[in-house]
Amino acid sequence: MRDEGRSGCPINATIEVIGDRWTLLVLRDVMFGNRRHFRELLAGSEEGIASNILSDRLKRLVAAGLLSREDTRPGRKAEYRLTEPAIQLVPIMAQLGAWGLRHRPTTKRLRVRAELLEEGGPQLWAEFMDELRESHLGISRPDPDAPTATERLARAYAAAVAEA
């Protein structure tokens, strides 16, 4: 059964799922940081998310169908994976980053991926989405021999960190 939300407006329906800052940041860290476990997300949070907020957002994202949670067995940590609807947020995340580059103060170290995503445009976004489908959903990339967008993003980030 679909949650009706406050209105039938598509923008409202989207905002009701991803409209708070922590939700988008958790998705960012799973998407771009390949953090899949609670402790990785907590320790790797640039913004210092509290554990209770992280726990709540992970539950909400699973309930909304943006993350899947692998059931844990004794001795194993729960693993979170992006779903196809979450992967389709890549262009939106890239556009949010581009807007932030133009209109908000940022640091070199944290802006480099947004710059690369903006420069790469829809082709890079599509390549990155194919990689996410492969690593989170098990769907092979169309060209497995091509250099990955993830490698390019990681190299750009490493270079920015080395310069800082």
Side-chain angles (χ1 to χ4, degrees):
M1 181 174 137
R2 186 171 78 74
D3 179 14
E4 294 300 319
R6 288 186 293 258
S7 74
C9 171
I11 294 171
N12 175 67
T14 303
I15 296 302
E16 285 186 357
V17 175
I18 63 169
D20 70 271
R21 92 177 193 143
W22 292 114
T23 298
L24 285 173
L25 295 177
V26 170
L27 284 172
R28 175 206 63 192
D29 290 349
V30 176
M31 192 177 284
F32 296 103
N34 197 31
R35 298 182 187 129
R36 297 187 189 207
H37 302 281
F38 183 88
R39 292 277 175 223
E40 291 173 336
L41 289 161
L42 188 63
S45 171
E46 289 281 340
E47 295 77 18
I49 191 170
S51 61
N52 62 322
I53 293 172
L54 175 58
S55 178
D56 177 70
R57 292 321 182 272
L58 289 169
K59 287 175 188 167
R60 287 183 190 195
L61 286 164
V62 169
L66 294 176
L67 291 179
S68 63
R69 182 180 189 270
E70 182 182 302
D71 289 331
T72 59
R73 296 187 304 263
R76 285 204 55 195
K77 301 180 271 186
E79 182 175 329
Y80 295 92
R81 293 178 181 256
L82 297 168
T83 63
E84 180 62 27
I87 291 169
Q88 290 180 19
L89 288 170
V90 166
I92 293 167
M93 298 292 262
Q95 290 295 325
L96 285 170
W99 186 90
L101 288 171
R102 288 189 297 279
H103 301 290
R104 305 300 302 163
T106 60
T107 64
K108 174 96 174 132
R109 180 175 70 86
L110 295 177
R111 70 183 283 129
V112 67
R113 288 183 184 134
E115 290 170 338
L116 188 59
L117 284 166
E118 183 175 35
E119 291 165 14
Q123 181 177 343
L124 180 61
W125 308 341
E127 291 170 18
F128 184 58
M129 289 166 61
D130 285 340
E131 289 175 45
L132 291 172
R133 287 183 186 102
E134 184 172 61
S135 66
H136 289 263
L137 304 176
I139 300 169
S140 296
R141 290 185 298 134
D143 185 2
D145 297 325
T148 68
T150 301
E151 291 167 344
R152 286 183 275 169
L153 291 168
R155 280 194 305 270
Y157 179 75
V161 169
E163 289 176 16

